[in-house]
Amino acid sequence: DTEVTQTPKHLVMGMTNKKSLKCEQHMGHRAMYWYKQKAKKPPELMFVYSYEKLSINESVPSRFSPECPNSSLLNLHLHALQPEDSALYLCASSHAVGTVDIYNEQFFGPGTRLTVL
Amino acid sequence: DQQVKQNSPSLRVQEGRISILNCDYTNSMFDYFLWYKKYPAEGPTFLISISSIKDKNEDGRFTVFLNKSAKHLSLHIVPSQPGDSAVYFCAASADQGGKLIFGQGTELSVKP
């Protein structure tokens, strides 16, 4: 199994809703990532989990709350979002971050297209 | 402050010819570089990578060249095929693959 899966594929939510995005990988990777991508822009890193612990938070607003229940799963909990948060949310995974002598590529999921009304 | 730059937003190439996509960076601490290909409404697909200890890496039709003194890397695709038409992102990391900084992307169009 060499893929990263994300659910749902599309999500429409109001500004008062609470929803969650889910990501799963079974490649034995110990690092997982959330990115946000707006149209015609590159992916922008939001969070990095390494060995199930949050290692990087790129000053993301608290209305986005990540969670890593185990080494295969990564969630992104959403609450009180704004219309400008509408974007493609990408999950990625890789081998352990920063391991000496190991350079490792990140494998991306297909993304969740989020629309906030 | 854009640390990774792809100055060509688009590139059109004839099928069978070579496609050359360019990328410049400013951070001399970057030690790992990657190219991703992205179709609309899909996640980026990893293509090829190179560490800063090398100047060339080849995988089939794809070759990445790194010129550290010029802080420049390029992706060569030869021969180009219509299925190569997509947006190509270069990305760089300073910590062996942790935080990736992406360029703005170049949209490649390969015409039959």
Side-chain angles (χ1 to χ4, degrees):
Chain A
D1 188 351
T2 57
E3 66 171 1
V4 177
T5 59
Q6 290 187 245
T7 55
K9 194 173 176 65
H10 300 277
L11 178 62
V12 179
M13 62 186 290
M15 289 189 285
T16 58
N17 292 157
K18 284 186 181 180
K19 297 286 185 183
S20 297
L21 310 184
K22 297 186 183 300
C23 174
E24 190 167 3
Q25 58 87 15
H26 294 288
M27 293 179 278
H29 290 165
R30 302 309 298 271
M32 297 187 76
Y33 311 77
W34 280 115
Y35 288 83
K36 174 182 178 179
Q37 185 176 24
K38 303 280 274 185
K40 306 285 187 186
K41 297 289 187 182
E44 292 183 354
L45 182 67
M46 300 174 71
F47 302 103
V48 180
Y49 272 83
S50 180
Y51 291 95
E52 295 97 68
K53 293 197 185 318
L54 184 64
S55 62
I56 297 178
N57 177 341
E58 289 290 295
S59 302
V60 179
S62 60
R63 58 186 184 269
F64 295 91
S65 175
E67 179 197 18
C68 190
N70 59 56
S71 59
S72 300
L73 294 174
L74 185 67
N75 299 321
L76 186 63
H77 303 297
L78 314 173
H79 175 54
L81 294 193
Q82 305 296 311
E84 58 265 28
D85 296 322
S86 299
L88 181 68
Y89 287 84
L90 294 162
C91 173
S93 72
S94 72
H95 293 294
V97 173
T99 304
V100 174
D101 294 333
I102 294 179
Y103 293 88
N104 59 93
E105 60 269 21
Q106 294 179 21
F107 293 87
F108 283 81
T112 293
R113 175 69 61 188
L114 173 68
T115 302
V116 182
L117 301 177
Chain B
D1 178 26
Q2 209 173 332
Q3 298 185 65
V4 179
K5 299 179 185 179
Q6 294 175 256
N7 292 317
S8 298
S10 63
L11 176 67
R12 293 169 65 94
V13 173
Q14 200 70 30
E15 181 180 6
R17 305 295 290 268
I18 185 171
S19 296
I20 300 177
L21 297 101
N22 294 303
C23 181
D24 297 294
Y25 62 96
T26 56
N27 188 342
S28 58
M29 297 300 292
F30 287 146
D31 60 2
Y32 185 50
F33 305 88
L34 310 90
W35 284 95
Y36 284 87
K37 172 181 179 180
K38 188 178 185 302
Y39 294 113
E42 292 185 10
T45 301
F46 170 74
L47 275 177
I48 192 169
S49 64
I50 188 167
S51 73
S52 57
I53 61 174
K54 295 185 176 182
D55 55 18
K56 177 182 175 182
N57 189 25
E58 194 170 355
D59 184 1
R61 296 187 297 116
F62 303 93
T63 303
V64 56
F65 295 92
L66 176 63
N67 182 334
K68 284 201 304 181
S69 61
K71 293 191 177 66
H72 177 83
L73 66 154
S74 60
L75 175 68
H76 293 209
I77 306 173
V78 56
S80 302
Q81 299 172 354
D84 296 329
S85 297
V87 177
Y88 288 77
F89 289 99
C90 72
S93 171
D95 57 0
Q96 298 168 318
K99 178 177 176 178
L100 287 183
I101 307 296
F102 284 84
Q104 295 295 104
T106 297
E107 184 171 9
L108 173 66
S109 178
V110 180
K111 297 302 183 185

